[in-house]
């Protein structure tokens, strides 16, 4: 495989990587704080952590998207600054993303050649093909060079992504959840191939994954991050899955117990929100909810835990009316529920979806209009179909004052507000009136400390007032602090449920990581 | 709650300077084009004004053209409230004319007012169904409404041509294939004291009512929610599919009504002459009016004036009246391009390249 037309790194074979005390801040938030890890040449190192733990920040520093604020990166023992993605690839670092970067309409051969970046104005295709053919012969499997990339199966596409990195002579490969779009068999095939490349000394690998099975099967060492900090490290052979899960969710049980405030016991009433055998398809047409059963009583917070991508997002979408269910039923107060506007008003069902600007607000409309989203067609904001602007503005003024929303005025466009104030505006709208059922998803994602505390306090106040709350969160601490019961979702099912006081974090982590026996539970 | 001086400055910049700058750029480009074909820009501009607004006769000409343009502008502006770009008014107008003529013929013998109402209602209904289909397809089948409405438009025009030259052809219409006439006594007359038919009043009323409904009612609010963010509208429990289809149908009704008025007030029967580009010019009207139903009225009059002046340009300067189309085209492109500047901080545009990046 003779390179054509471009200069390549002189050194070949696997690269050793050492990261010392890497730090990166965004404003006041430390996304990465003093993290170190070492990968010997030819090693496979797994990076574990919940969402927002700092994994992608670390990786982005390595490939030159971010510049670290502090710390050192050593490649083959030499200190290197990586100011941009270009330097990163020249040094031999390659990245494979969760989603495919191939051009679907171009053939595999064309995809490989254009990946080189700097190409001559006229390509000598016969020579390129010969070089490619020779290169492909070094591979243990065959990929049809002339097939359009779009016609390949998902596993094949991911292999081409990896082959592309080899073709570009990358020596350290970073894999960001490379198997999330693959079936388990395809995942094994791809990871097995990567493992063989490392064993033959061609590559070192840093792999981000949520799947413990893949860590135990393919990685040599593992580093766990938690909230931007180093949370644990060890040889995979010496660690059990439970120990890794424990590092990931982080022995926080005692802290959570302390912060749990004294609260009313949940009254022994019949459930207000009931979901039975709920099924739904994701955007790709595959089933993402595979029969969910749950029930929430008045004055109770049911927390739904889980690693992202296990159907929580779709569950919330179905419950708040953004997605059609394919089977099953929803009940509120014993009545069938389909999230229509009339039912939402009649049964007082409100919601705080994640990313409020995307899911719960119209960014191009005013703060006043957005605050009227729930009741613009109700007295006193409307009479006989006519909007009462004065009442609408009056309501907005009182919300802004009561919830201390910082805005230049109630006529300001919603998308000019900061994240915390968008959330305050939505809280005001959703919690100012009596609420019987509240659907909440990742309510404090991206908020600062004060906004987090305020949001949590409002949720607990609603609970005390008798609202049945379903709280979906990727932050286990948040769930432990707020919930009365916690259920774990994995692969579109509720796989485990427990009272929050007795929750064993290790056990939760175990189930979150997919360590269930294909069982189903009711929450 | 208070707006500071700088807020006011920004508002001024948005509302006054941007449109003025846009108008200036349009004029410069058009003047350059006029100079290129060897005419004096000043003379052409003067004639444009004279031909459109310079005399009572010119005004009548202008208003006659503005009347269908108001309705075809609404055919774009109403669906736009729900976030759709519908450009199929021409076909809905053609079918509205056809349905209007059929309705008028079917009601022969009834009182003139009944026939007129029948013609207009049939036209509206037919247009509503035709454009409503595009809205329905978008919501339930994920078909891009801009493409589907344009293609439906061609089908609509072809259907009109087929019926007036085939099954519905009046044997007496020899050199211009038409349906049978709806009858002279059933024609819509002129506004008192003017040589402009009642269609203008109907168009203005349609625009006024649309504007009132869109601005002051909860239905208008619902449409704005859907147009602004479908996910938020779904969360609010709105049945997005119904609203989207309904808004498309209302737009179609306006275009169909325009076609029916052409039959009942101008042509007397449905024929290929009703397809004369009003539907497409309506797109320009709606965009220039920034999809505001009320602003559609003055913009339609302005564009109607330009079209009316085309003939005078041709007679006086011996230039093709397509010069007016060139002006419209320039205006359309510049206005669309200027939309991207709206809401940005003018004169401090951040370079796009700063955000570029990505793995090789």
């Amino acid at each position: 495989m003779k390179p054509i037309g471009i200069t390549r790194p002189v050194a070949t074979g696997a690269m050793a990587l050492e990261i010392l005390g890497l730090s990166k801040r965004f404003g006041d938030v430390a996304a990465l704080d003093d993290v170190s890890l070492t990968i010997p040449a030819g090693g496979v190192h797994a990076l574990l952590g919940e969402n927002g733990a700092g994994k992608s920040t670390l990786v982005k520093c390595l490939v030159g998207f971010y510049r670290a604020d502090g710390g050192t990166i050593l490649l083959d023992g030499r200190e290197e600054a990586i100011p941009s993605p270009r330097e990163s690839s020249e040094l031999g670092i390659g990245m494979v993303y969760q989603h495919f970067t191939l051009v679907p309409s171009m053939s595999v051969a064309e995809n490989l050649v254009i990946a080189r970046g700097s190409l001559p104005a006229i390509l000598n295709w016969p020579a390129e093909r010969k070089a490619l053919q020779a290169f492909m012969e070094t591979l243990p499997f065959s990929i049809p060079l002339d097939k359009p990339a779009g016609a390949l199966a998902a596993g094949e596409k991911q292999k081409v992504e990896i082959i592309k990195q080899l073709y570009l002579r990358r020596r350290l490969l970073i894999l960001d959840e490379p198997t999330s779009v693959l079936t388990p068999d395809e995942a094994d095939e791809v990871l097995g191939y990567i493992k063989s490349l490392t064993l033959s000394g061609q590559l070192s690998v840093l792999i981000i994954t949520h799947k413990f099975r893949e860590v135990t099967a393919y990685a040599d060492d593992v580093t766990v991050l938690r909230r931007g900090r180093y949370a644990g490290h060890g040889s995979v052979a010496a660690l059990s899955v439970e120990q890794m899960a424990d590092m990931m969710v982080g022995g926080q049980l005692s802290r959570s117990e302390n912060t749990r405030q004294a609260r009313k016991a949940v009254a022994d009433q019949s459930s207000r929100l009931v979901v039975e055998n709920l099924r739904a398809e994701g955007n790709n047409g595959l089933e993402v909810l595979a029969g969910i059963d749950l029930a929430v009583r008045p004055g109770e917070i049911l927390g739904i835990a889980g690693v992202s991508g296990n159907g929580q997002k779709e569950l919330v979408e179905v419950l708040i009316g953004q997605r059609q269910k394919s089977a099953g039923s929803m009940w509120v107060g014993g009545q069938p529920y389909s999230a229509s506007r009339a039912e939402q008003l009649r049964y007082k069902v409100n919601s705080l979806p994640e990313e409020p600007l995307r899911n719960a607000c119209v960014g191009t409309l005013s703060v006043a209009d957005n605050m009227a989203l729930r009741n613009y067609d109700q007295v006193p904001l409307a009479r006989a179909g006519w909007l009462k602007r004065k009442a609408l503005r009056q309501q907005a003024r009182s919300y802004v004052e009561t919830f201390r929303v910082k805005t230049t005025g109630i006529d300001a466009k919603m998308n000019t507000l900061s994240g915390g104030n968008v959330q305050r505006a939505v809280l005001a709208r959703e919690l100012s009136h009596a609420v019987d059922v509240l659907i909440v998803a990742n309510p404090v994602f991206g908020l600062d400390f004060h906004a987090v505390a305020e949001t949590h306090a409002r949720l607990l106040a609603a609970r005390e007032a008798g609202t049945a709350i379903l709280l979906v969160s990727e932050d286990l601490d948040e769930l432990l602090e707020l919930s009365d019961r916690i259920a774990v979702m994995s692969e579109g099912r509720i796989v485990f449920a427990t009272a929050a006081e007795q929750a064993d974090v290790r056990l939760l982590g175990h189930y979150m990581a997919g360590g269930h026996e294909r069982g189903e539970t009711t929450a | 709650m208070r707006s500071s001086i700088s807020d006011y400055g920004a508002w001024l910049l948005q509302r006054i300077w941007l449109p003025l700058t846009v108008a200036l750029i349009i004029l410069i480009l058009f003047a350059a084009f006029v100079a290129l074909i060897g005419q004096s820009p000043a003379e052409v501009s003067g004639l444009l004004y004279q031909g459109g607004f310079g005399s009572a006769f010119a005004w009548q000409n202008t208003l006659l053209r503005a009347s269908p343009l108001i309705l075809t502008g609404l055919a774009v502006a109403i669906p736009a409230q729900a976030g759709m770009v519908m450009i199929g008014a021409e076909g809905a107008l053609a079918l509205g004319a056809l349905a209007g003529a059929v309705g008028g013929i079917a009601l022969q013998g009834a009182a003139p007012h009944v026939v007129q109402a029948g013609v207009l209602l049939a036209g509206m209904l037919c247009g509503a169904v035709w454009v409503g289909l595009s809205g329905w397809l978008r919501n339930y089948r994920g078909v891009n409404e801009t493409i589907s409405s344009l293609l439906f438009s061609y089908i609509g025009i072809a259907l009109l041509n087929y019926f007036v030259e085939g099954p519905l052809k009046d044997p007496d219409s020899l050199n211009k294939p038409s349906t049978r006439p709806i009858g002279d006594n059933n024609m819509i007359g002129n506004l008192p004291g003017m040589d402009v038919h009642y269609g203008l009043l109907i168009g203005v009323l349609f625009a006024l009512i649309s504007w009132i409904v869109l601005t002051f009612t909860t239905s208008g609010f619902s449409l704005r929610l859907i147009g602004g963010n479908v996910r938020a509208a779904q969360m609010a429990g709105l049945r997005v599919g119904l609203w989207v289809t309904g808004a498309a149908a209302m737009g179609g009704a306006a275009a169909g009504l325009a076609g029916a008025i052409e039959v009942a007030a101008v042509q007397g029967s449905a024929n290929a002459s009703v397809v004369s580009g009003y539907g497409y010019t309506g797109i320009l009207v709606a965009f220039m009016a920034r999809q505001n139903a009320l602003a559609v009225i003055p913009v339609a009059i302005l564009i109607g004036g330009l079209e009316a002046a085309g003939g005078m340009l041709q007679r006086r300067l011996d230039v093709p009246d397509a010069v007016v189309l060139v002006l419209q085209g320039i205006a359309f492109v510049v206005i669309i391009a200027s939309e991207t500047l709206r809401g940005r901080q003018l004169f401090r545009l951040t370079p796009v390249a700063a955000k570029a990046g990505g793995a090789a």
Side-chain angles (χ1 to χ4, degrees):
Chain A
M1 46 170 176
K2 227 182 173 108
I4 301 164
I6 56 165
T7 52
R8 311 276 179 109
V10 190
T12 54
M15 178 197 287
L17 168 73
E18 198 169 346
I19 294 174
L20 292 170
L22 207 65
S23 300
K24 175 75 189 170
R25 304 180 68 81
F26 296 103
D28 291 342
V29 185
L32 205 59
D33 188 11
D34 193 21
V35 172
S36 305
L37 68 82
T38 310
I39 310 177
V44 179
H45 198 104
L47 198 55
L48 278 173
E50 294 177 299
N51 277 44
K55 295 168 306 202
S56 44
T57 309
L58 182 133
V59 163
K60 279 177 179 163
C61 289
L62 274 180
V63 295
F65 276 121
Y66 295 156
R67 290 199 74 161
D69 299 328
T72 319
I73 297 171
L74 299 164
L75 301 179
D76 280 339
R78 277 219 334 256
E79 185 175 340
E80 301 278 1
I82 306 175
S84 79
R86 177 182 290 268
E87 271 79 7
S88 170
S89 31
E90 275 168 10
L91 287 163
I93 300 175
M95 175 117 185
V96 174
Y97 297 89
Q98 203 170 343
H99 300 287
F100 303 120
T101 60
L102 300 173
V103 182
S105 57
M106 293 175 105
S107 72
V108 172
E110 287 168 329
N111 265 295
L112 289 175
V113 172
I114 58 161
R116 286 211 312 259
S118 55
L119 292 174
I122 296 170
L123 281 170
N124 181 357
W125 272 109
E128 294 284 356
R129 287 202 63 88
K130 239 168 119 186
L132 275 172
Q133 220 93 49
F135 169 66
M136 295 305 263
E137 268 159 34
T138 64
L139 303 177
F141 47 77
S142 71
I143 298 273
L145 275 174
D146 294 315
K147 225 174 172 182
L152 298 174
E156 279 184 312
K157 279 187 203 160
Q158 198 61 294
K159 275 190 205 159
V160 174
E161 297 276 4
I162 291 160
I163 290 170
K164 191 165 89 184
Q165 301 298 328
L166 291 178
Y167 174 73
L168 298 172
R169 298 243 189 138
R170 301 279 159 76
R171 301 165 54 217
L172 168 67
L173 214 51
I174 298 163
L175 305 168
D176 186 1
E177 297 187 45
T179 60
S180 60
V181 289
L182 305 184
T183 65
D185 287 342
E186 287 174 330
D188 279 333
E189 207 182 330
V190 168
L191 292 174
Y193 173 51
I194 289 188
K195 184 78 181 170
S196 73
L197 289 172
T198 59
L199 288 176
S200 64
Q202 295 184 58
L203 272 182
S204 309
V205 170
L206 179 63
I207 177 170
I208 295 177
T209 179
H210 285 311
K211 297 174 183 165
F212 287 83
R213 189 183 69 86
E214 293 173 357
V215 176
T216 48
Y218 298 102
D220 307 320
D221 299 295
V222 58
T223 293
V224 184
L225 297 185
R226 189 177 155 69
R227 304 211 156 158
R229 290 217 155 129
Y230 169 83
H233 156 261
S235 140
V236 169
L239 287 171
S240 70
V241 168
E242 273 70 23
Q243 281 169 312
M244 286 188 247
D246 192 28
M247 288 181 196
M248 197 164 129
V249 297
Q252 300 282 324
L253 197 54
S254 52
R255 192 177 76 88
S256 302
E257 267 171 353
N258 293 339
T259 53
R260 277 178 77 89
Q261 294 145 357
R263 47 165 78 193
K264 278 200 302 209
V266 179
D268 196 15
Q269 294 176 2
S270 56
S271 299
R272 171 98 25 88
L273 170 71
V274 176
V275 169
E276 280 174 350
N277 189 32
L278 191 69
R279 288 168 186 274
E281 289 169 359
N283 293 336
N284 54 8
L286 299 175
E287 187 167 72
V288 282
L289 296 183
I292 297 280
D293 292 289
L294 55 84
V296 192
R297 285 177 291 176
E300 179 185 49
I301 299 182
L302 171 63
I304 303 282
V307 175
S308 73
N310 278 285
Q312 304 97 306
K313 193 172 123 240
E314 288 83 1
L315 172 64
V316 171
E317 286 175 346
V318 172
L319 285 171
I320 69 177
Q322 289 179 339
R323 183 177 293 275
Q324 293 284 319
K325 63 181 198 264
S326 52
S329 51
M330 304 184 281
W331 307 81
V332 172
Q335 303 295 317
Y337 182 73
S338 66
S340 74
R341 188 163 180 88
E343 288 167 349
Q344 287 176 0
L345 287 165
R346 194 179 320 139
Y347 304 127
K348 302 192 180 76
V349 183
N350 279 4
S351 51
L352 297 169
E354 60 186 3
E355 298 180 71
L357 205 50
R358 187 171 105 87
N359 282 308
C361 298
V362 183
T364 50
L365 291 184
S366 69
V367 171
D369 283 354
N370 272 287
M371 285 177 161
L373 207 67
R374 286 291 179 197
N375 60 349
Y376 67 88
D377 50 358
Q378 302 298 309
V379 176
L381 267 58
R383 270 179 223 280
W386 294 92
L387 279 180
K388 297 289 166 196
R389 279 269 154 203
K390 223 172 139 188
L392 186 148
R393 296 171 60 81
Q394 184 53 45
Q395 166 176 288
R397 268 186 223 108
S398 98
Y399 283 0
V400 164
E401 197 172 317
T402 319
F403 281 74
R404 295 186 309 280
V405 183
K406 286 197 198 83
T407 162
T408 53
I410 58 170
D411 296 318
K413 295 251 169 74
M414 198 66 177
N415 55 19
T416 62
L417 268 59
S418 72
N421 284 303
V422 169
Q423 179 73 320
R424 279 192 196 100
V426 175
L427 281 169
R429 180 181 79 204
E430 304 291 323
L431 291 177
S432 284
H433 302 277
V435 184
D436 282 353
V437 176
L438 190 65
I439 315 290
V440 189
N442 295 314
V444 299
F445 195 77
L447 297 188
D448 63 23
F449 176 77
H450 293 289
V452 170
E454 185 183 339
T455 305
H456 284 172
R458 301 252 182 217
L459 289 179
L460 286 173
R463 174 197 178 274
E464 297 299 304
T467 307
I469 301 179
L470 183 75
L471 171 63
V472 176
S473 175
E474 283 167 24
D475 184 344
L476 205 47
D477 282 349
E478 180 177 49
L479 291 175
L480 288 165
E481 191 178 325
L482 299 177
S483 308
D484 298 292
R485 282 185 302 136
I486 295 181
V488 178
M489 252 181 102
S490 176
E491 294 174 18
R493 290 182 173 82
I494 303 278
V495 291
F496 181 67
T498 177
E501 281 122 12
Q502 289 129 37
D504 177 347
V505 178
R506 277 182 212 90
L507 205 56
L508 289 177
H510 172 77
Y511 281 104
M512 283 166 66
H516 58 279
E517 300 76 43
R518 293 254 162 220
E520 277 179 47
T521 314
T522 300
Chain B
M1 217 143 292
R2 355 164 229 128
S3 54
S4 64
I5 301 291
S6 71
D7 281 347
Y8 182 69
W11 181 88
L12 206 68
L13 213 62
Q14 288 284 325
R15 296 291 164 94
I16 311 290
W17 282 113
L18 188 58
L20 279 183
T21 316
V22 165
L24 194 68
I25 293 174
I26 293 170
L27 283 180
I28 290 172
L29 289 176
F30 181 61
F33 165 76
V34 170
L36 202 72
I37 59 170
Q39 300 290 344
S40 143
E43 194 179 354
V44 169
S45 309
L47 280 179
L48 280 179
Y49 174 76
Q50 236 181 59
F53 311 100
S55 64
F57 176 73
W59 267 100
Q60 271 170 12
N61 240 336
T62 296
L63 292 177
L64 270 179
R65 288 177 162 82
S67 142
L69 285 180
I70 292 173
L71 288 168
T72 53
L74 290 174
V76 179
I78 295 173
Q81 308 298 318
M84 290 181 285
V85 183
M86 286 284 186
I87 58 174
E90 190 83 19
L93 184 149
L95 285 180
L98 183 67
V102 169
I105 294 162
L107 288 170
Q108 283 302 319
H113 279 105
V114 176
V115 177
Q116 286 163 1
V119 170
L120 300 186
L121 277 178
M124 280 173 76
L125 202 67
C126 190
V129 169
W130 202 243
V131 181
L133 259 176
S134 287
W136 185 87
L137 277 173
R138 160 177 148 132
N139 194 69
Y140 296 98
R141 307 299 317 157
V143 179
N144 179 301
E145 82 282 0
T146 311
I147 306 288
S148 75
S149 65
L150 181 65
L151 298 182
F152 269 126
S153 181
Y154 292 134
I155 299 174
I157 295 165
L159 281 176
L160 170 75
N161 288 333
Y162 167 73
F163 278 106
V164 299
E165 288 168 20
L168 294 178
K169 184 178 172 186
D170 177 5
D172 295 337
S173 62
L174 292 174
N175 48 3
K176 188 185 191 186
S178 310
T179 60
R180 295 216 317 273
I182 61 166
D184 283 347
N185 57 334
N186 294 326
M187 295 289 282
I188 294 176
N190 282 346
L191 290 162
M194 295 170 81
D195 207 8
V196 179
H197 57 74
Y198 268 100
L200 177 67
L201 184 68
I202 297 174
V204 168
L205 282 179
F206 203 118
L208 269 177
I209 292 170
S210 304
W211 178 72
I212 289 170
V213 168
L214 291 172
T215 314
F216 298 109
T217 69
T218 55
S219 307
F221 196 94
S222 303
L223 272 185
R224 280 201 295 282
L225 288 186
I226 292 166
N229 183 355
V230 170
R231 292 180 71 85
Q234 286 171 330
M235 189 213 71
L238 294 175
R239 297 178 68 179
V240 172
L242 280 183
W243 285 100
V244 162
T245 311
M250 281 312 291
L257 182 59
I261 290 174
E262 285 298 292
V263 169
V266 183
Q267 304 285 344
S269 65
N271 56 54
S273 297
V274 300
V275 182
S276 57
Y278 285 130
Y280 299 124
T281 310
I283 305 169
L284 171 65
V285 170
F287 273 84
M288 278 182 80
R290 301 203 63 228
Q291 317 292 1
N292 180 312
L294 197 60
V296 158
I297 299 173
V299 173
I301 291 172
L302 180 71
I303 300 291
L306 287 182
E307 302 225 315
M312 184 174 268
L313 277 187
Q314 203 169 11
R315 284 193 305 277
R316 294 274 183 91
L317 300 178
D318 197 26
V319 295
D321 62 352
V323 167
V324 171
L325 284 182
V326 172
L327 174 56
Q328 286 181 11
I330 291 175
F332 193 60
V333 171
V334 174
I335 288 167
I336 298 264
S338 76
E339 282 296 301
T340 60
L341 295 179
R342 201 170 282 279
R344 289 213 202 151
Q345 283 177 304
L346 297 178
F347 313 120
R348 226 185 54 182
L349 300 174
T350 42
V352 179
K355 286 201 85 178

